[in-house]
Amino acid sequence: MSSCSRVALVTGANKGVGFAITRDLCRLFSGDVVLTARDEARGRAAVQQLQAEGLSPRFHQLDITDLQSIRALRDFLRREYGGLNVLVNNAAIAFQTDDPTPFDIQAELTVKTNFFATRNICTELLPIMKPHGRVVNISSLQGLQALENCSEDLQEKFRCETLTEGDLVDLMNKFVEDTKNEVHEKEGWPHSAYGVSKLGVTVLSRILARRLEEKRKADRILLNACCLGWVEADMAGDHSSRTVEEGAETPVYLALLPPDATEPQGQLVCDKIVQSWSVHWNPWRYLELNDSARP
């Protein structure tokens, strides 16, 4: 076992916001920080870059779409640290708006990676989270926009406080199936695979946090989702106004909530502020009110 028993882990951390989050955690977290990436060469290059800055991250390969890869990481954490203190689920994909890939393929791959793979990470790693652990799922303003563009029936389902994980899985599968049958808009879905995938991540976070409160309340594990704003590495492209360092601020804040904190829990957090998304919420109004996030 490592001489340092505390450990934080960031997925998709070889570039962009994931890299910035890892850098901040290396500076601020009292313990080891594990940088993970699907591509080992790129991951190790990122570690070397941080080492050149005087920081000391560790590297572990992780393909979040590969269950065996997730379980190998889980076993490593058990063996080296006896569990996990901080988990930041950052890894995700997005197709550019001008990508010629058929929409149903985009939907299937995006939901598989951003929602189902993130869910698999949580399924495998939440059981080894140590008391006072912190879990941060990176969501997006586009998830909230997707919610607003859903039919009233779908909005009611996603906002339902008693929605189960199984119900949510069924909804995400239905979106993918409806895109294949070219009826997704008729069925009340928005035309945004990325948005729907991140909506799923936000709702999943609420469900998992509720379960932690029920099953492991004494351990005070906090699990939240967060929006980064329009950062350079995000899908905002030319509209981005935040640096990746600015985008990292909220996830790092949530990752380092003090041990005696009891909230936020199961919330969506933007600019370190809990967002009330159970009622109609306009992310574009959020941008108007936050100069640093304005595209």
Side-chain angles (χ1 to χ4, degrees):
M1 183 176 291
S2 169
S3 59
C4 178
S5 61
R6 283 173 52 79
V7 60
L9 182 140
V10 185
T11 70
N14 62 288
K15 64 179 181 178
V17 175
F19 183 79
I21 292 170
T22 303
R23 175 191 280 132
D24 284 350
L25 289 178
C26 284
R27 292 169 175 166
L28 301 171
F29 177 72
S30 64
D32 284 352
V33 179
V34 178
L35 180 156
T36 71
R38 181 177 56 182
D39 184 291
E40 183 165 351
R42 292 177 180 175
R44 293 196 181 278
V47 166
Q48 290 178 353
Q49 183 177 339
L50 291 174
Q51 288 173 338
E53 298 176 15
L55 304 173
S56 303
R58 298 188 70 178
F59 173 74
H60 199 286
Q61 191 275 340
L62 173 66
D63 180 350
I64 67 169
T65 64
D66 182 343
L67 194 54
Q68 286 187 327
S69 180
I70 296 172
R71 289 174 174 168
L73 174 64
R74 176 201 64 193
D75 294 344
F76 161 79
L77 294 169
R78 277 178 172 165
R79 181 176 63 253
E80 293 285 312
Y81 300 97
L84 180 60
N85 299 93
V86 171
L87 169 63
V88 181
N89 280 312
N90 169 73
I93 65 167
F95 288 84
Q96 296 300 317
T97 53
D98 58 353
D99 193 295
T101 304
F103 185 70
D104 64 312
I105 306 256
Q106 292 190 30
E108 183 173 24
L109 292 175
T110 305
V111 170
K112 174 187 176 183
T113 304
N114 297 358
F115 175 76
F116 283 105
T118 297
R119 175 176 176 250
N120 286 341
I121 291 272
C122 291
T123 298
E124 297 297 328
L125 298 189
L126 285 186
I128 67 167
M129 291 298 299
K130 296 181 180 181
H132 309 288
R134 304 290 179 253
V135 181
V136 185
N137 293 329
I138 306 300
S139 189
S140 170
L141 292 168
Q142 294 189 38
L144 293 173
Q145 186 66 19
L147 178 64
E148 291 298 317
N149 289 335
C150 283
S151 66
E152 289 188 7
D153 178 62
L154 284 173
Q155 288 190 38
E156 184 177 347
K157 289 177 179 177
F158 278 115
R159 289 189 168 108
C160 178
E161 291 294 329
T162 58
L163 187 75
T164 67
E165 187 174 353
D167 294 334
L168 179 59
V169 165
D170 289 343
L171 282 169
M172 302 306 287
N173 279 327
K174 186 177 189 304
F175 168 68
V176 173
E177 190 64 27
D178 286 347
T179 64
K180 290 181 179 179
N181 294 327
E182 299 183 349
V183 296
H184 63 284
E185 290 180 300
K186 178 182 177 183
E187 291 294 314
W189 297 101
H191 195 72
S192 172
Y194 182 79
V196 172
S197 74
K198 288 300 189 178
L199 170 58
V201 169
T202 300
V203 179
L204 177 68
S205 301
R206 185 184 70 204
I207 293 169
L208 295 178
R210 187 172 67 220
R211 184 181 303 158
L212 285 170
E213 287 291 292
E214 294 169 353
K215 305 286 187 181
R216 299 182 61 183
K217 187 173 181 62
D219 287 340
R220 291 190 176 182
I221 298 169
L222 299 181
L223 186 155
N224 293 283
C226 69
C227 295
L228 306 176
W230 299 100
V231 300
E232 293 169 351
D234 198 12
M235 278 30 76
D238 293 337
H239 297 297
S240 62
S241 62
R242 291 187 175 187
T243 65
V244 292
E245 289 76 19
E246 290 169 331
E249 289 178 4
T250 293
V252 170
Y253 157 75
L254 291 171
L256 299 179
L257 287 169
D260 60 348
T262 58
E263 56 183 25
Q265 175 70 305
Q267 301 293 335
L268 178 64
V269 182
C270 299
D271 286 341
K272 304 179 185 179
I273 299 171
V274 171
Q275 304 299 315
S276 177
W277 76 284
S278 59
V279 296
H280 290 287
W281 188 93
N282 186 345
W284 312 117
R285 177 59 178 162
Y286 165 79
L287 294 173
E288 292 169 6
L289 295 174
N290 292 268
D291 289 342
S292 62
R294 186 183 298 155

